[in-house]
Amino acid sequence: MSKLIQWVGNSLFMLLVFLFVADPTNTILGLKTPVFALLLLYSLVFFKADWKNIVYFIVPVMTVMVSLVIATMQGSHVDVVALKDLLMSFAPLILLMWAGQYDIIRLSVIPVAVTATLVLLLFWTIFFVPDLEGPIYVFMGEHNDTIMMSNRAFLGFEVFCMYPKSTAAFMPVFGLAVYKSLTKKKWQYILVAIILLHMFVISGTRSSVLLPVLMAGVMVFLYCRNGRYMRYIVYPGVIVFAIAFVFLLAMLLLEDDEPSNLVKYAHLESYKNLFEANPGYLIFGQGPCTEFYSLGFRKMTLTTEWTYMELLRNYGLLCLPILYVILLPVYRLLRLSVKYESALAIAMAVVIYLVIAGTNPLLFSSTGMLVLLII
């Protein structure tokens, strides 16, 4: 009976992970809330909760509420709808009370691999049948761009890209898959690693393309460098790879005519202007879900791609408790890496995820919070 109870719980968790990564905007299937509620109720009934972990839900919620009070005192206008969505995004952290009952990262492998496979099938379908690009593009546009599609120029070459909004959340599973491929050489994990790497490549954003490749290269170096003859291959390979990577990264970042670069740098100029005009925001923040004028968009906006700058703008020094909740799992993984090599691999993947999330609003969404569950 206990095995059946665990199997049902595992199945519900896998379904929830699939919905979070395949439908992060909750506009295609619309099942995230009912499945989350069902899993929460099931866990309450059949598993013992570790109530200490509720603090990871309470801390960010209380930070937002305190900041909301300060914003009201400052006279800042708060978008109520965005505030509701922000508070709801922390809900998955409640499931940390049952983190000991579920092997969450392994339960995430199949949903993440299936989602990546579906994205690749769409990509190659459009590649071989270009007439389908229009209808699929319209469908995604009607569903809040669950998968963003565009033709982007890289170093003078135009390529078609498909970027699922949940792309960064795939990193912990990718880290586990690469680790298992190198150490256990299991074909299932090798296949998952290849599928995810392929999906990262077609995503078309610099961070989502380059950083997973960098992480995979570092892991190959770490786990292959002590081979009998590998030092003659790995060390020269690492040097060549590092030089090529830095050179390519510099070329991409310094492309003056790249629209996304121009928008990002204009956002940074806008933050500078805002903090110079309102230095108090650096301490107390402007308030959650408030607007400011961005030169990047040339209009008032609630948020930009610079996630950590948004944290500073919205909360000031009050962002520190939220950062604590985000960074604590990385610290714990690094401590565990002394005993378990897999913990180091996952920690590296999470660091990459946090870097990617730094230029992606995903971090403060239900899908972003899911990553904290996975690790």
Side-chain angles (χ1 to χ4, degrees), residues 10 39 42 44 56 80 125 167 202 205 222 285 355 358 360 369:
N10 289 346
L39 176 60
Y42 187 87
L44 274 169
Y56 299 114
V80 177
T125 298
T167 296
I202 69 167
T205 67
L222 290 176
V355 172
N360 185 318
M369 295 300 109

Side-chain angles (χ1 to χ4, degrees), residues 240-252:
V240 173
F241 175 81
I243 294 173
F245 182 86
V246 171
F247 181 71
L248 177 61
L249 182 63
M251 289 181 64
L252 290 172

Side-chain angles (χ1 to χ4, degrees), residues 14 18 106-115 173:
M14 290 175 67
F18 175 75
R106 284 179 172 79
L107 292 177
S108 302
V109 172
I110 292 177
V112 166
V114 168
T115 302
V173 171

Side-chain angles (χ1 to χ4, degrees), residues 9 12-13 16 34-44 95 102:
L12 285 172
F13 218 117
L16 183 65
V35 172
F36 171 76
L38 182 59
L39 176 60
L40 181 60
L41 179 61
Y42 187 87
S43 299
L44 274 169
L95 294 175
Y102 301 105

